[in-house]
């Protein structure tokens, strides 16, 4: 089961990725994880990537693809893998295809922008413990105070409405075209085209999980 998971920030990809990887006993792989592992292991590609990052340069797609090929050759990927946050762009998607890295399913967790803004901008955090609250879905007993210590809660800069909307714009610009790419590929019926699955991410968490697993089971049979 080789899966690409797509969705905007706050769509619930992390939660659903855990459900999927536990169900199919496959690893969740992100670009950041691959880079850190390769650098820590001192592989040739890892050292090349580290030199670029140390120089403040973006790691080119060719290096990312080499990291991917190294990572999925590991024993824990024998039953498949789930890519989270990769590919991010059309050139990366094309590179996956040209390098014959087979993908079985592309799953999009679809959530409206305004729901994403509501989800993320409503989060509040207790800095000392990392406890997370939400003004609507999980409010503290006393507004803006931690339930345990009574200390002030904060809003992370990443969760400010203006920042959330900027992140969504970046997603639409860079990553949303991937949805069209994989949908078109499936429609053409080309050899090796992955199944594209779109799931409404605004349902309850367990309902989203059940829909994803049902679609994967149906498409794989």
């Amino acid at each position: 089961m080789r899966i690409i998971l797509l969705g905007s920030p706050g769509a619930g990809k992390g939660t659903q990725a855990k459900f999927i990887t536990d169900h199919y006993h496959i690893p969740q792989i992100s670009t950041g994880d691959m880079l850190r592992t390769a650098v820590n292991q001192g592989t040739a590609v890892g050292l090349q990537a580290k030199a670029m990052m140390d120089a403040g340069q973006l790691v080119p797609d060719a290096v990312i693809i080499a990291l991917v090929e190294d990572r999925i050759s590991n024993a824990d990927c024998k039953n498949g893998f789930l890519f989270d946050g990769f590919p991010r762009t059309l050139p990366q998607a094309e590179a996956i295809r040209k390098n014959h890295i087979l993908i079985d399913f592309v799953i999009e967790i679809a959530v409206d922008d305004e729901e994403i803004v509501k989800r993320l901008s409503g989060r509040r955090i207790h800095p000392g413990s990392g406890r997370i609250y939400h003004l609507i879905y999980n409010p503290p007993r006393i507004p803006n105070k931690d339930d345990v210590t009574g200390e002030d809660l904060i809003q992370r800069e990443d969760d400010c409405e203006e920042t959330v909307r900027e992140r969504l714009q970046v997603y639409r610009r860079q990553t949303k075209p991937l949805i069209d790419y994989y949908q078109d590929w499936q429609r053409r019926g080309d050899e090796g085209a992955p199944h594209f699955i779109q799931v409404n991410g605004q349902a309850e968490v367990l309902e989203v999980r059940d829909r994803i697993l049902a679609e994967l089971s149906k498409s794989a049979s």
Side-chain angles (χ1 to χ4, degrees):
M1 190 67 71
R2 294 159 297 202
I3 298 169
I4 290 172
L5 188 60
L6 300 176
S8 55
K13 294 193 302 297
T15 299
Q16 297 304 327
K18 183 71 166 59
F19 289 139
I20 296 167
T21 54
D22 285 350
H23 185 83
Y24 288 105
H25 306 291
I26 57 177
Q28 178 180 349
I29 300 173
S30 71
T31 305
D33 291 341
M34 287 187 296
L35 283 168
R36 282 188 291 273
T37 299
V39 169
N40 290 338
Q41 291 178 348
T43 66
V45 178
L47 293 174
Q48 183 182 2
K50 184 176 187 303
M52 293 174 176
M53 290 187 292
D54 287 347
Q57 300 172 355
L58 290 175
V59 179
D61 289 342
V63 175
I64 297 294
I65 291 297
L67 286 169
V68 169
E69 292 180 321
D70 280 351
R71 178 64 184 87
I72 64 177
S73 68
N74 292 348
D76 65 338
C77 294
K78 67 178 181 179
N79 294 323
F81 47 81
L82 182 146
F83 285 144
D84 177 14
F86 175 82
R88 289 187 183 276
T89 63
L90 285 177
Q92 288 181 350
E94 287 284 7
I96 290 174
R97 189 173 177 180
K98 289 176 181 176
N99 284 271
H100 307 291
I101 298 172
L102 298 178
I103 302 296
D104 299 310
F105 297 96
V106 176
I107 303 169
E108 180 203 1
I109 302 176
V111 180
D112 292 342
D113 283 2
E114 291 309 311
E115 173 63 19
I116 294 293
V117 171
K118 185 167 69 173
R119 286 183 184 183
L120 297 185
S121 64
R123 288 198 300 204
R124 298 294 185 271
I125 295 175
H126 176 239
S129 67
R131 279 185 288 274
I132 299 175
Y133 299 85
H134 194 282
L135 299 182
I136 298 172
Y137 304 119
N138 180 36
R141 289 194 296 266
I142 300 173
N144 293 316
K145 300 291 184 181
D146 178 52
D147 286 351
V148 178
T149 66
E151 295 170 344
D152 289 341
L153 303 177
I154 65 166
Q155 183 183 44
R156 295 189 318 175
E157 187 175 342
D158 277 358
D159 291 338
C160 294
E161 180 174 342
E162 182 179 355
T163 305
V164 172
R165 292 191 183 280
E166 288 175 0
R167 292 168 65 194
L168 286 170
Q169 287 182 3
V170 171
Y171 170 75
R172 299 295 173 214
R173 197 164 54 243
Q174 293 186 345
T175 312
K176 191 74 160 57
L178 291 170
I179 294 168
D180 296 334
Y181 174 84
Y182 285 114
Q183 285 179 325
D184 289 344
W185 190 4
Q186 178 178 258
R187 274 195 292 267
R188 290 197 304 271
D190 296 346
E191 184 179 357
H195 293 279
F196 184 88
I197 297 169
Q198 185 184 72
V199 176
N200 177 9
Q202 294 180 212
E204 293 294 327
V205 170
L206 295 184
E207 185 179 344
V208 175
R209 177 202 65 185
D210 292 344
R211 288 179 183 176
I212 290 174
L213 295 180
E215 287 291 336
L216 289 173
S217 178
K218 180 175 68 176
S219 300
S221 60

